[in-house]
Amino acid sequence: MDRKTNSIGYLPVIIITAIITAIIMYIILCRIMKPDPPIVDKPNEIISIKDAVELHLSYRKNRSCIIKAYEGQDSTITTLCSTRRTPNPNFVPSLAFDLDKKFLEQYMLYINQITADSIDITGYRLYLGNYPDSTYFADGRIVKDPRRNTFFIAPTTLIENETRGYTFVDRNNDGQQEILFLEDEFDFRTSTPGQNPPKTKINTASFFSFSSQGGGDQSTVANEIGGHPPQIQ
């Protein structure tokens, strides 16, 4: 075999070797340019699946059955907790809620964007709620899932050694946002008629104020994130 024929025979080997070398170099470069993620310590709040099952079954046994009986207007329960709702014996209580990853990432970016630098975000709080037995909320928004339990989420900050959920309101429609603490509003709405509003509501409302580019309130409260079972009552 002459030298020219011998070179042609080696050509596939050369090509395969070049491809393998390129793949190895690509893997090495990827590892250099994208190092392994840092090791994260397991949070103290992590629980075992056994504990999770016990918690959920305890809720079903000791809470959801009471909710179902209440919505069906069991006489024993409605005597203790009166209601004007019409009975619904087919009501099924919520058993779980979804927190979509994309929503969480967008929500936290949004909160960081609209929160003034002077406010330290300490975390996020989940508040339990219950949809009214009506077609619309007081502000005209549609109630998509009447009667069902829900939750809403809001960021928290530390005020006078107490962690509180907050949102922002533009009281005078002048683009000036003021912080409003959810706990103060809850206490105020449930206070006895004629009782003075909580002092903390008066004292802290003006602690943080800043101008916003957009008009209207900049709410930090999110709801209607998703629940199970959904709308099957």
Side-chain angles (χ1 to χ4, degrees):
M1 182 181 293
D2 56 21
R3 180 172 299 178
K4 183 177 180 181
T5 304
N6 193 34
S7 299
I8 295 175
Y10 284 128
L11 184 59
V13 176
I14 295 173
I15 294 175
I16 293 174
T17 302
I19 292 174
I20 294 174
T21 303
I23 292 174
I24 294 174
M25 291 299 296
Y26 175 77
I27 294 173
I28 293 174
L29 287 174
C30 285
R31 292 187 64 87
I32 294 175
M33 297 176 65
K34 188 178 180 181
D36 293 335
I39 297 175
V40 178
D41 294 334
K42 182 172 71 173
N44 295 329
E45 294 81 6
I46 295 295
I47 63 174
S48 68
I49 181 60
K50 290 183 178 180
D51 288 352
V53 170
E54 183 175 353
L55 287 172
H56 189 72
L57 293 182
S58 177
Y59 174 83
R60 287 193 176 195
K61 179 180 179 181
N62 301 308
R63 290 294 183 272
S64 66
C65 61
I66 298 174
I67 295 171
K68 182 174 177 60
Y70 174 81
E71 293 295 347
Q73 290 197 6
D74 177 272
S75 59
T76 303
I77 296 179
T78 54
T79 299
L80 299 174
C81 187
S82 62
T83 178
R84 294 182 179 179
R85 295 180 177 179
T86 57
N88 185 351
N90 298 319
F91 183 86
V92 179
S94 299
L95 298 176
F97 300 99
D98 289 339
L99 278 173
D100 183 72
K101 179 176 180 290
K102 184 178 180 180
F103 157 76
L104 282 175
E105 292 173 347
Q106 181 182 5
Y107 178 72
M108 287 188 285
L109 289 173
Y110 166 75
I111 296 303
N112 287 328
Q113 173 182 289
I114 68 171
T115 297
D117 294 337
S118 57
I119 302 174
D120 181 29
I121 301 173
T122 58
Y124 297 87
R125 178 168 292 168
L126 301 179
Y127 296 86
L128 298 177
N130 181 258
Y131 289 119
D133 186 22
S134 58
T135 306
Y136 299 97
F137 286 98
D139 63 1
R141 190 165 56 93
I142 295 176
V143 178
K144 296 182 179 180
D145 214 355
R147 296 180 163 208
R148 191 172 299 284
N149 285 347
T150 184
F151 75 90
F152 51 95
I153 185 173
T156 59
T157 190
L158 189 65
I159 294 294
E160 298 178 351
N161 296 319
E162 182 180 350
T163 302
R164 303 188 187 185
Y166 68 86
T167 188
F168 300 113
V169 294
D170 183 358
R171 298 180 187 277
N172 302 316
N173 294 320
D174 59 358
Q176 195 75 12
Q177 298 290 332
E178 294 182 10
I179 195 168
L180 182 148
F181 297 106
L182 274 64
E183 286 74 18
D184 291 345
E185 286 299 298
F186 300 153
D187 292 341
F188 176 69
R189 300 298 179 185
T190 57
S191 61
T192 304
Q195 180 181 347
N196 293 327
K199 292 182 179 180
T200 51
K201 177 178 171 59
I202 298 174
N203 294 336
T204 59
S206 59
F207 276 9
F208 304 101
S209 63
F210 58 95
S211 297
S212 62
Q213 296 180 351
D217 297 345
Q218 291 186 338
S219 177
T220 65
V221 183
N223 182 226
E224 296 185 355
I225 301 167
H228 296 283
Q231 297 185 355
I232 62 175
Q233 69 267 27

